[in-house]
Amino acid sequence: MLRREARLRREYLYRKAREEAQRAASERKEKVRRALEENHLIPTELRREALALHGSLEFDDAGGEGVTNHVDDEYRWAGVEDPKVMITTSRDPSSRLKMFAKELKLVFPGAQRMNRGRHEVGALVRACKVNGVTDLLVIHEHRGTPEAKPHLIIHGFSSRLGKRVSDVLRYLFPVPKEDSHRVITFANQNDYISFRHHVYRKTNHRNVELTEVGPRFELKLYMIRLGTLEQEATADVEWRWHPYTNTAHKRVFLSAA
């Protein structure tokens, strides 16, 4: 088992390094191509290799966007098999946290809730800070929570990191049926992700009545870690939020500037 994990880790690091090198080369070619088309000066750092980059442009073709990479391996069965979601908490959770975990279990179709203990199963680690939780019962007044597979609205994730995060959120949910009246929204604004949960019904052929069923809360991404719970100490950190740098309060990461 340890040999297999070591081999998979080496393969992953190799693929990641190759993809980063190819992406950097594509960005340099794009800068040269844009400078030539717009009759601008070639950037200083690219002038030495400009001729070689220009020569390789004729062998590039359009349509390579969206090619499978190491990130896509996580979601190769998306849409074919329903995701398996596990809801858990820190050890010795408060009563409010237990209630929130129960409510989250209702949000994700087919999710399982597990108490933390000695025997923990593997799960992909994606870390977010949760703010401003409003309970499901406060919003919905004991009407019950729909269990249909929801339609998703994902808004404001336009940067490269934002698209990565939107994929993580999207693939937590199975593919809904067309007649599902349940809607879940993840809306990003200034790197705060608002979660809202609604159901709708048609009152007539022109009007729709929207009802919030909760819970509602805000998410703040602070880490993307590649690995499983049992690999937490050794898993690579793909991205981490650094709130104490001088420019942290001015920068946005999930949407393009």
Side-chain angles (χ1 to χ4, degrees):
M1 185 66 179
L2 293 177
R3 289 184 179 179
R4 180 175 179 274
E5 288 186 1
R7 176 176 58 80
L8 292 175
R9 181 179 174 81
R10 288 196 301 270
E11 291 177 356
Y12 161 77
L13 292 175
Y14 174 74
R15 291 200 308 271
K16 183 179 179 182
R18 284 284 304 273
E19 289 164 11
E20 287 296 326
Q22 291 172 359
R23 184 175 65 83
S26 297
E27 290 177 354
R28 293 197 301 272
K29 291 179 185 178
E30 179 63 21
K31 289 180 180 178
V32 171
R33 184 190 64 78
R34 192 181 302 116
L36 293 174
E37 288 182 352
E38 298 175 0
N39 198 26
H40 292 164
L41 290 176
I42 295 175
T44 305
E45 68 274 12
L46 298 178
R47 290 178 184 176
R48 289 189 176 182
E49 54 179 343
L51 288 177
L53 291 172
H54 181 258
S56 63
L57 282 173
E58 61 180 309
F59 299 105
D60 292 347
D61 56 354
E65 299 81 3
V67 175
T68 301
N69 58 29
H70 73 278
V71 173
D72 296 318
D73 289 346
E74 298 175 23
Y75 309 118
R76 62 185 180 276
W77 298 116
V80 178
E81 297 180 357
D82 288 350
K84 297 178 181 179
V85 178
M86 181 190 69
I87 307 295
T88 189
T89 65
S90 58
R91 293 181 176 84
D92 299 322
S94 64
S95 58
R96 185 172 175 81
L97 183 56
K98 289 180 180 178
M99 178 62 69
F100 182 58
K102 290 180 180 179
E103 293 175 0
L104 277 186
K105 181 179 179 296
L106 299 176
V107 167
F108 299 100
Q112 299 294 320
R113 182 169 166 266
M114 187 189 76
N115 295 325
R116 294 291 293 271
R118 293 183 180 179
H119 305 291
E120 296 177 353
V121 298
L124 287 174
V125 176
R126 300 288 184 269
C128 284
K129 180 181 179 182
V130 182
N131 296 319
V133 177
T134 304
D135 291 343
L136 177 152
L137 295 181
V138 172
I139 293 177
H140 200 46
E141 299 178 353
H142 304 274
R143 298 177 188 172
T145 302
E147 297 184 2
K149 298 174 181 178
H151 297 285
L152 299 179
I153 298 175
I154 298 179
H155 174 74
F157 298 85
S158 54
S159 69
R160 188 164 177 261
L161 177 64
K163 292 176 182 177
R164 173 80 166 111
V165 173
S166 69
D167 284 343
V168 172
L169 297 173
R170 180 182 297 111
Y171 294 126
L172 290 173
F173 297 87
V175 178
K177 295 182 179 179
E178 291 185 3
D179 59 353
S180 174
H181 287 190
R182 186 183 176 198
V183 181
I184 284 178
T185 303
F186 293 97
N188 170 57
Q189 185 174 11
N190 296 327
D191 284 354
Y192 284 92
I193 305 170
S194 299
F195 174 92
R196 298 294 184 268
H197 183 194
H198 296 85
V199 293
Y200 71 90
R201 68 182 185 90
K202 294 182 179 179
T203 55
N204 53 50
H205 68 284
R206 295 182 60 184
N207 298 318
V208 171
E209 182 180 278
L210 195 65
T211 304
E212 186 172 1
V213 296
R216 64 162 65 173
F217 50 85
E218 311 296 318
L219 296 169
K220 177 71 174 179
L221 180 73
Y222 70 87
M223 183 188 298
I224 299 180
R225 176 176 288 164
L226 300 171
T228 55
L229 287 177
E230 64 269 18
Q231 299 171 337
E232 187 171 359
T234 59
D236 288 335
V237 174
E238 181 178 333
W239 183 86
R240 186 194 301 271
W241 179 45
H242 297 279
Y244 301 111
T245 57
N246 292 334
T247 58
H249 66 286
K250 301 178 182 179
R251 300 182 63 186
V252 292
F253 298 96
L254 300 182
S255 59

